[in-house]
Amino acid sequence: MSKVLVIIPAYNEEKNLEKLIDKIRLTNHNYDILVVNDCSKDNTSVKCREKNVMVIDLPVNLGIGGAVQTGYKYAYYNHYDIAVQVDGDGQHNPEYIKDIVEEVKNGNNFCIGSRFIDKEGFQSTFMRRVGIKYFTMLIKIVTGFNITDPTSGFRACDRNIIKYFVEYYPQDYPEPETLVLLRKKKYKIKEVAVVMNERDGGKSSISSFKSIYYMIKVTMAILISTANID
């Protein structure tokens, strides 16, 4: 049996985590769960400990990249076979974890849960859909790989990818850039259809202004990464 770790990066997600943890456990009680608390100002850590979940409390806010890489480091040094990334805001439906994990077990290095294959459930906001289409096009241009949901943070990977992410993981808005890096390194990437939900509670950290900044910064990171890959 594969040893699976579900990594949940969390910043001020006390309103969402209890329900999310319960759903993951109902899906498969053999999954280990790790919450990486990115120096939250609310009771994120307390709520997780009340649910008897492993928590790493970061002493400073590292952002999504640093929080997720912390989870991958934990997975690597504790000898997990598969790591699954699930957002702490309740948008990712745990019932689909088994589908992305199964694709990794079947020989893919990396599997992404995509909301745009069957186009069911919450499809994100208009501005974010524009950004997603833009990154789909950019990734196609620089790698030749067609992906429908390049910003999805609902992902699973094998130990080879876990090790790679321990060595390098983008710090800001890492999802599109990691796809370019992995594709250039010839890892096998797969997408499966999932249904996503709207955020259960709390507030997204990405505003309309930040969305524009995000697109510019990630574009530059992708182009630089592509140029530097051996």
Side-chain angles (χ1 to χ4, degrees):
M1 180 183 294
S2 297
K3 190 178 177 184
V4 178
L5 178 69
V6 178
I7 302 167
I8 307 174
Y11 178 69
N12 294 343
E13 296 290 0
E14 66 174 352
K15 296 180 179 178
N16 304 317
L17 283 170
E18 290 182 283
K19 187 187 299 184
L20 175 61
I21 290 164
D22 288 340
K23 287 180 178 179
I24 294 171
R25 285 173 168 164
L26 282 174
T27 300
N28 190 321
H29 67 272
N30 289 318
Y31 295 153
D32 289 338
I33 303 171
L34 172 69
V35 174
V36 182
N37 174 31
D38 195 17
C39 201
S40 297
K41 298 176 182 177
D42 65 0
N43 290 319
T44 289
S45 182
V46 173
K47 294 293 184 182
C48 293
R49 294 180 194 283
E50 288 176 352
K51 300 297 289 186
N52 205 22
V53 166
M54 296 184 293
V55 184
I56 294 177
D57 292 312
L58 299 178
V60 295
N61 183 274
L62 297 181
I64 184 65
V68 171
Q69 188 180 41
T70 299
Y72 283 120
K73 287 182 177 181
Y74 182 93
Y76 179 74
Y77 291 113
N78 288 277
H79 309 293
Y80 283 91
D81 303 299
I82 298 173
V84 181
Q85 184 182 333
V86 176
D87 286 354
D89 59 12
Q91 290 194 65
H92 299 157
N93 192 334
E95 71 177 75
Y96 293 98
I97 292 177
K98 65 181 185 301
D99 296 332
I100 59 176
V101 166
E102 192 61 30
E103 290 296 339
V104 174
K105 289 181 178 179
N106 287 339
N108 293 289
N109 301 111
F110 197 69
C111 183
I112 304 157
S114 170
R115 77 202 91 178
F116 299 119
I117 294 177
D118 291 342
K119 296 184 178 179
E120 297 179 359
F122 180 59
Q123 299 290 289
S124 193
T125 63
F126 172 75
M127 279 300 296
R128 291 196 186 188
R129 290 198 302 275
V130 170
I132 288 165
K133 288 184 180 296
Y134 168 78
F135 284 121
T136 294
M137 178 185 68
L138 180 61
I139 291 171
K140 176 73 171 179
I141 290 170
V142 300
T143 70
F145 184 58
N146 189 36
I147 188 162
T148 66
D149 202 349
T151 67
S152 173
F154 195 15
R155 316 160 139 213
C157 63
D158 66 9
R159 189 156 175 82
N160 293 315
I161 304 292
I162 293 171
K163 182 179 180 181
Y164 180 69
F165 284 163
V166 166
E167 297 167 356
Y168 177 73
Y169 196 81
Q171 293 303 300
D172 292 325
Y173 317 119
E175 289 83 6
E177 187 180 350
T178 53
L179 292 175
V180 172
L181 293 169
L182 297 180
R183 185 64 179 175
K184 289 290 187 177
K185 292 288 187 180
K186 309 298 184 184
Y187 287 114
K188 293 177 65 177
I189 303 172
K190 173 88 175 189
E191 278 190 300
V192 297
V194 302
V195 176
M196 293 191 186
N197 311 309
E198 290 192 66
R199 165 181 279 274
D200 281 344
K203 184 179 180 181
S204 173
S205 62
I206 302 180
S207 62
S208 296
F209 174 78
K210 284 186 177 180
S211 294
I212 297 170
Y213 168 77
Y214 162 78
M215 290 176 67
I216 295 171
K217 186 169 185 177
V218 176
T219 297
M220 293 178 64
I222 286 174
L223 295 176
I224 292 169
S225 295
T226 303
N228 290 336
I229 292 174
D230 295 330

